[in-house]
Amino acid sequence: MSVEIEIHDEKMLVNGEWIDADERADVVHPYDGEVVGSVPIASEQQVQQAVAAADRAAEASELSAYERYELLYRTAELLEKEVEEMAQLMTAEQGKPITEARGEVDRAIQTLRLSGEEAKRMFGEYVPMDAQRGFDRTHAFTQREPLGVVAAVTPFNFPLNLMVHKIGPALAAGNAVVGKPATNTPLVSIRLFEYLDQAAEEVGAPDGLVNVVTGSGSTVGDVFLESEEVEAISFTGSTAVGKYIANNSGMKEVTLELGGNDPTIVWEDADVKEAAVQLIGGACSNAGQVCNSVERVLVHKTVEDELVAALVGQAQTLTPGDPFDEETDIAALIDDDAAEKVQRIFEETVAAGATVECGGDYEGRKFEPTVLSGVTPEMPAAAEEVFGPLVPVITVADFDEAIEQANNTEYGLEAGIFTQDIDRAKRAANEIDAGGVNVNTVSGFRTDHMPYGGFKDSGKGKEGIKYAVEHFTREKIVGFHAGKNA
Ligand code: NDP
């Protein structure tokens, strides 16, 4: 590793104590495999202890909305003092370029603040009971209440901000939390829980309001699923695990942010050069390991050549290299399995007849930004979620075909369309079966407070603070019936 970082041998936070386990897992720097730290592999019993502690804390907590806001704002403040340290730790464990890591820390600070503000907005509504004949003297309002214990399971690709997206709204709503970060990227999450722990103590929260456990996803996940105290599971990760959770969660509230195979349409009237800049950014940031990454480019046949040339020109501006180098745009994939998957998809797609317009070289986990033309829908680069820096270009003859191909996937996370024609844009918005349609930008667009979540195999439920708070609360109606003498 080109930057010296102290080895982070971390513990888990359970009931206000930092605890170890009998076994530990190493965390490695994806770019060169150097060990950067380790975390405990929690036993089933330790996960149960974390859940029980969270349950007691949820019962005991009397934090007001203002105190919950303070908890989250204070955590943001602590994080803000350590931006560079957190960014370096993230690059060390996840391998994303340092400039992207700083961006993620900044987003996480904002997501914490947005969550703090949402704590003050848990409104109910007045219900006009007299709308039904005979209830003239009855009044009612609704109030939102926390569920109790929220379990948060996150993947490797945005190890800080995705954890904040779950525990921020959960705490804002008055719940207790148990976090479980991905085993290959747990270090920044644990650091986040250190700040949360400090902030929780400062506002007078009971021990156990915030807990974090590490180790095997299936061991931890099964305890969450089997526990009666866990009222909600918020999961971001693969569709296979998401479906397992959905099928085994009984009456729990479940939010699933899963995979995608997102299309972006480039129409004949688009600003093709601008589209190419955004498409390459959307396909290659974090080496393509982004859930709403540009996975398929659908281009009208009249601008195909112009777009492919612009994509190649833009891809060639990206600097591959060491993620700690300020100039680096693309570094390494998370692990060998991920690299093998991208290589297989690339080779099978080329063998099936696609043309390599640029890139295509790889060495271990390092894969060049690669533009492929002449891709057809059944080729693996179009049919599968790649999670790597491949840009498959599929040519379409008319708008019906563009919409049909956009929907030709089991996923439905987000989509993009570049066009100057408002009617076409509106038609795409209406007919593309995805949780978000972005006009004149790519599928990968997201702000942290917008409703975000896919259709079909991309998941269920929404994140985006306010929307997550709805999932982490239940609604109660309180009715007032006038007495005889009133
Ligand atoms: P995984 O599903 O393998 O892992 C995600 C998390 O789930 C990890 O913390 C993992 O733990 C845990 N886990 C594994 N098995 C279980 C289980 N049986 N029960 C409960 N939790 C479990 O996904 P990846 O890390 O490989 O992430 C990549 C996937 O995530 C891609 O498909 C991507 O599209 C999707 N994703 C979706 C996003 C969205 O917002 N829609 C955002 C980011 C990614 P451990 O690490 O210990 O195995």
Side-chain angles (χ1 to χ4, degrees):
M1 213 163 53
S2 60
V3 163
E4 217 170 292
I5 283 189
E6 70 174 278
I7 297 283
H8 283 256
D9 289 323
E10 302 295 354
K11 293 186 175 166
M12 307 182 287
L13 179 61
V14 173
N15 198 26
E17 303 280 327
W18 288 94
I19 64 165
D20 206 345
D22 294 341
E23 288 179 83
R24 298 185 63 85
D26 280 344
V27 180
V28 301
H29 181 43
Y31 192 68
D32 62 10
E34 193 178 323
V35 174
V36 295
S38 68
V39 288
I41 300 177
S43 66
E44 247 179 69
Q45 200 194 13
Q46 287 175 314
V47 185
Q48 284 159 356
Q49 282 165 3
V51 169
D55 189 44
R56 286 193 301 273
E59 277 287 310
S61 177
E62 289 178 355
L63 294 183
S64 64
Y66 187 79
E67 287 164 329
R68 302 196 303 272
Y69 148 83
E70 274 196 322
L71 191 171
L72 292 158
Y73 251 63
R74 177 73 178 128
T75 306
E77 198 175 85
L78 293 168
L79 182 52
E80 204 161 31
K81 289 185 181 147
E82 308 276 350
V83 172
E84 192 55 27
E85 211 184 329
M86 281 294 261
Q88 291 201 0
L89 189 56
M90 189 186 300
T91 292
E93 66 177 344
Q94 205 271 327
K96 69 175 61 176
I98 186 70
T99 47
E100 289 186 25
R102 287 186 195 118
E104 185 179 340
V105 179
D106 182 56
R107 282 180 66 181
I109 292 166
Q110 294 190 57
T111 309
L112 280 164
R113 294 216 166 102
L114 288 163
S115 301
E117 283 156 16
E118 207 55 45
K120 299 179 187 170
R121 291 198 278 258
M122 290 205 4
F123 297 116
E125 64 180 10
Y126 178 77
V127 182
M129 301 297 271
D130 61 350
Q132 186 168 339
R133 194 172 54 237
F135 293 92
D136 295 9
R137 299 192 318 141
T138 305
H139 300 269
F141 62 83
T142 63
Q143 61 191 33
R144 297 208 79 90
E145 299 179 346
L147 295 180
V149 178
V150 174
V153 183
T154 52
F156 72 85
N157 57 349
F158 288 90
L160 183 62
N161 198 36
L162 291 182
M163 185 60 87
V164 175
H165 260 289
K166 299 177 184 317
I167 49 131
L171 291 169
N175 298 285
V177 296
V178 184
K180 150 68 181 110
T183 301
N184 38 20
T185 56
L187 302 177
V188 287
S189 284
I190 292 180
R191 199 61 192 258
L192 169 72
F193 275 86
E194 284 173 24
Y195 302 142
L196 281 163
D197 186 35
Q198 183 181 331
E201 199 181 322
E202 285 175 20
V203 300
D207 284 344
L209 194 78
V210 292
N211 306 271
V212 62
V213 294
T214 47
S216 152
S218 54
T219 304
V220 177
D222 282 350
V223 173
F224 289 161
L225 287 169
E226 283 156 22
S227 162
E228 292 200 352
E229 286 92 20
V230 172
E231 293 280 355
I233 300 179
S234 176
F235 172 82
T236 300
S238 59
T239 296
V241 175
K243 284 187 173 173
Y244 173 81
I245 292 173
N247 291 335
N248 292 282
S249 51
M251 299 290 280
K252 294 184 199 313
E253 173 73 25
V254 170
T255 313
L256 302 171
E257 298 292 345
L258 311 176
N261 190 0
D262 291 356
T264 294
I265 298 170
V266 181
W267 210 242
E268 55 189 346
D269 55 359
D271 179 342
V272 169
K273 285 204 173 60
E274 173 58 22
V277 171
Q278 294 200 37
L279 287 163
I280 292 297
C284 299
S285 77
N286 201 7
Q289 302 167 116
V290 180
C291 48
N292 56 349
S293 171
V294 173
E295 288 270 343
R296 293 175 296 145
V297 178
L298 304 172
V299 63
H300 188 255
K301 60 184 179 187
T302 53
V303 286
E304 180 197 359
D305 292 346
E306 190 187 348
L307 181 71
V308 168
L311 287 171
V312 169
Q314 187 59 27
Q316 287 172 341
T317 67
L318 299 186
T319 307
D322 184 320
F324 282 104
D325 189 332
E326 297 289 334
E327 305 304 313
T328 293
D329 297 305
I330 183 161
L333 295 160
I334 187 72
D335 58 24
D336 293 340
D337 286 350
E340 278 161 28
K341 180 180 172 198
V342 178
Q343 287 161 20
R344 172 189 61 76
I345 289 175
F346 168 71
E347 278 165 13
E348 287 178 5
T349 302
V350 175
T355 304
V356 184
E357 298 284 351
C358 70
D361 279 348
Y362 53 82
E363 191 198 332
R365 299 175 188 175
K366 296 152 202 159
F367 206 103
E368 281 187 339
T370 299
V371 176
L372 297 167
S373 66
V375 175
T376 53
E378 65 289 350
M379 293 181 186
E384 295 181 42
E385 181 191 36
V386 181
F387 237 50
L390 300 189
V391 192
V393 180
I394 302 165
T395 304
V396 290
D398 56 39
F399 207 63
D400 286 344
E401 191 185 349
I403 299 285
E404 188 190 322
Q405 284 311 321
N407 288 330
N408 183 15
T409 166
E410 68 267 35
Y411 296 109
L413 189 50
E414 293 230 350
I417 174 165
F418 286 90
T419 180
Q420 299 302 315
D421 181 340
I422 195 162
D423 292 334
R424 251 180 235 294
K426 189 65 179 37
R427 191 177 154 205
N430 288 344
E431 294 184 19
I432 294 180
D433 210 4
V437 176
N438 300 308
V439 179
N440 284 326
T441 190
V442 289
S443 58
F445 175 82
R446 180 183 188 181
T447 62
D448 289 299
H449 62 305
M450 72 182 214
Y452 180 81
F455 297 167
K456 304 197 287 187
D457 276 4
S458 288
K460 65 179 199 144
K462 296 284 176 197
E463 293 201 327
I465 331 293
K466 171 183 162 203
Y467 309 93
V469 164
E470 284 172 15
H471 289 293
F472 298 151
T473 50
R474 56 190 181 184
E475 192 173 45
K476 180 181 277 176
I477 185 159
V478 182
F480 289 85
H481 302 267
K484 266 195 194 145
N485 304 325

